[in-house]
Amino acid sequence: MNFHPVSSDHARQGQATFGMANLRSERTGLPFVVFISQKDGARHDVRVKVSASAKVRADEMGSYAARPCRHTDGRRLPPHEEKLLEAWIEKNIDVLTRYWDGEIEYTEDALGQIRTL
């Protein structure tokens, strides 16, 4: 598990300004990395970020709303990968929402509940 701080210099609408946990393909079953985070004052609903790899700058990530699943900002996944992300989010929406809202306080607890596609 790695945390990637996103500096406010790179912040864009929908970009997190706090640490995110990356979930590799082995944990998600997706062909890309998914970043999850807690709300931490964001004014929007649950979102995840995606990237081809864990080593990425904030402006190279794509941001997706979870309810409903839709692209909101940044790089966009190809349509077939968006469908995979949507299926994964649907499978994990309860965990993602409880983590986002802080009901699941610790990242390792959220990761322990994430299900692969």
Side-chain angles (χ1 to χ4, degrees):
M1 161 177 49
N2 295 314
F3 293 93
H4 299 276
V6 179
S7 73
S8 59
D9 296 335
H10 295 296
R12 296 163 53 181
Q13 182 174 351
Q15 291 291 121
T17 56
F18 49 90
M20 293 180 284
N22 62 20
L23 285 66
R24 59 184 144 194
S25 294
E26 294 83 3
R27 183 173 295 277
T28 64
L30 298 169
F32 45 84
V33 177
V34 176
F35 296 80
I36 64 170
S37 64
Q38 292 182 323
K39 182 177 181 176
D40 195 39
R43 292 177 287 198
H44 52 72
D45 197 15
V46 181
R47 291 197 183 167
V48 299
K49 302 204 180 299
V50 297
S51 172
S53 74
K55 293 182 180 184
V56 63
R57 292 189 337 239
D59 62 347
E60 296 173 338
M61 294 178 157
S63 182
Y64 284 81
R67 300 184 290 194
C69 183
R70 64 181 172 76
H71 178 260
T72 60
D73 192 43
R75 295 216 174 154
R76 190 165 194 158
L77 294 170
H80 69 281
E81 289 185 355
E82 282 187 344
K83 289 183 189 305
L84 292 173
L85 177 63
E86 182 175 12
W88 181 82
I89 287 173
E90 286 177 9
K91 190 172 191 175
N92 289 286
I93 192 63
D94 182 56
V95 176
L96 295 171
T97 301
R98 290 186 298 120
Y99 184 63
W100 177 264
D101 290 338
E103 292 174 31
I104 299 174
E105 292 184 50
Y106 297 100
T107 304
E108 61 265 22
D109 294 335
L111 296 179
Q113 296 176 46
I114 292 290
R115 300 183 316 176
T116 61
L117 189 60

